[in-house]
Amino acid sequence: MEKQKIMHVSFWIFAILLFCTVVSVRIQELMRNEVTVLSPTEERSLNGISFPARCLRENSDGITGVWEVVREKGAMGEEIGVHFRELSIIFQDETTVVVLNEGYGLLIADYFAYPLEEGMAVEVIGNEPEEQDMKNQLKNQKKNLYQLVFFVGIYIIVIFLANYLLNGLFNKKPWQAVLGIAILIVAAYMVYRAMGTVDIPRECLPEEQIFDISFYKEKLYYM
């Protein structure tokens, strides 16, 4: 009897950790800072490259430069990140900056949802989102959110079912335990897929913590 209790408690811990892992992976993707990028234009007469002056930024050390968008290897495979690059300015006015052409392809972050940090993983989007487009996107996400809630409910039910089937280990029916673990993994995969369909605009989510309740209260207040 004591072994059964330990087994069931261990199973519940496993099921909860599996759920948290699946959800956290998708949340990490949702929380990636969204950026748009542009390529500088070659200025042969000045032996330089030009880009809009709005792309010129100042980092935390007070150094002027741009946020360069690069592909690099990360913990989850290849990902897109940003690095601050100091440039040699040749010419600058209110609209345009010309810097020394150092002979390499440069992709510069133009728009970004939240302030960038060195080495931050980002998601490149096509255009800067407009407020009305974000509202429409949120409305279109209702179906996906309902679907996610449905599969989370299914997952909870499956935990109870799988937990019951584990008793097969003590009733000389090990196939029941195997079946229970199998359906739990399938349910977790369905939650993972449902989370993947949720595509909320980055500006509609908190900067750092997705469960920042005060952020959502403020958003609702101004809507």
Side-chain angles (χ1 to χ4, degrees):
M1 184 64 70
E2 189 67 27
K3 287 184 178 180
Q4 278 185 287
K5 288 182 179 180
I6 293 174
M7 180 191 68
H8 288 302
V9 170
S10 300
F11 172 76
W12 271 93
I13 294 173
F14 166 75
I16 293 171
L17 288 176
L18 178 62
F19 177 82
C20 291
T21 301
V22 165
V23 172
S24 64
V25 169
R26 287 303 195 185
I27 287 178
Q28 185 179 14
E29 294 174 0
L30 269 178
M31 295 294 285
R32 280 183 179 169
N33 204 343
E34 293 180 339
V35 304
T36 60
V37 299
L38 57 81
S39 298
T41 303
E42 186 176 3
E43 298 288 345
R44 293 185 179 179
S45 59
L46 296 174
N47 190 31
I49 52 176
S50 65
F51 53 84
R54 65 175 181 270
C55 296
L56 205 60
R57 315 284 180 178
E58 195 173 275
N59 68 2
S60 57
D61 296 323
I63 300 173
T64 300
V66 296
W67 286 104
E68 182 183 9
V69 180
V70 297
R71 289 187 177 274
E72 53 193 2
K73 290 184 178 180
M76 303 296 289
E78 188 179 71
E79 58 185 23
I80 301 174
V82 292
H83 296 281
F84 193 80
R85 181 177 289 278
E86 186 178 3
L87 301 172
S88 300
I89 299 177
I90 300 173
F91 167 81
Q92 179 180 356
D93 61 20
E94 293 182 356
T95 60
T96 306
V97 174
V98 179
V99 299
L100 184 66
N101 188 353
E102 298 181 6
Y104 58 86
L106 182 65
L107 287 178
I108 300 173
D110 184 6
Y111 155 85
F112 36 88
Y114 288 102
L116 297 173
E117 297 178 5
E118 181 66 26
M120 175 184 284
V122 298
E123 179 182 353
V124 176
I125 58 176
N127 300 292
E128 179 179 349
E130 297 181 0
E131 185 174 352
Q132 188 57 47
D133 292 336
M134 287 191 289
K135 288 181 178 179
N136 293 336
Q137 186 176 344
L138 282 175
K139 289 180 181 178
N140 295 333
Q141 287 298 305
K142 285 184 178 180
K143 179 181 177 181
N144 294 334
L145 289 172
Y146 291 148
Q147 178 179 271
L148 174 60
V149 171
F150 171 78
F151 282 113
V152 170
I154 292 295
Y155 185 82
I156 294 172
I157 293 172
V158 166
I159 291 178
F160 284 98
L161 176 60
N163 186 52
Y164 171 77
L165 291 174
L166 282 180
N167 291 321
L169 291 174
F170 299 92
N171 298 328
K172 297 182 180 181
K173 295 179 180 179
W175 62 269
Q176 288 186 351
V178 174
L179 176 62
I181 297 296
I183 60 175
L184 180 72
I185 293 174
V186 171
Y189 176 72
M190 296 307 295
V191 172
Y192 178 80
R193 289 293 300 271
M195 279 286 294
T197 64
V198 177
D199 186 20
I200 300 174
R202 186 62 183 88
E203 287 190 17
C204 298
L205 295 171
E207 182 176 349
E208 296 180 356
Q209 172 57 255
I210 197 169
F211 298 111
D212 185 353
I213 304 301
S214 60
F215 172 87
Y216 298 112
K217 286 182 178 179
E218 187 176 344
K219 277 285 184 182
L220 289 172
Y221 178 79
Y222 286 106
M223 286 180 65

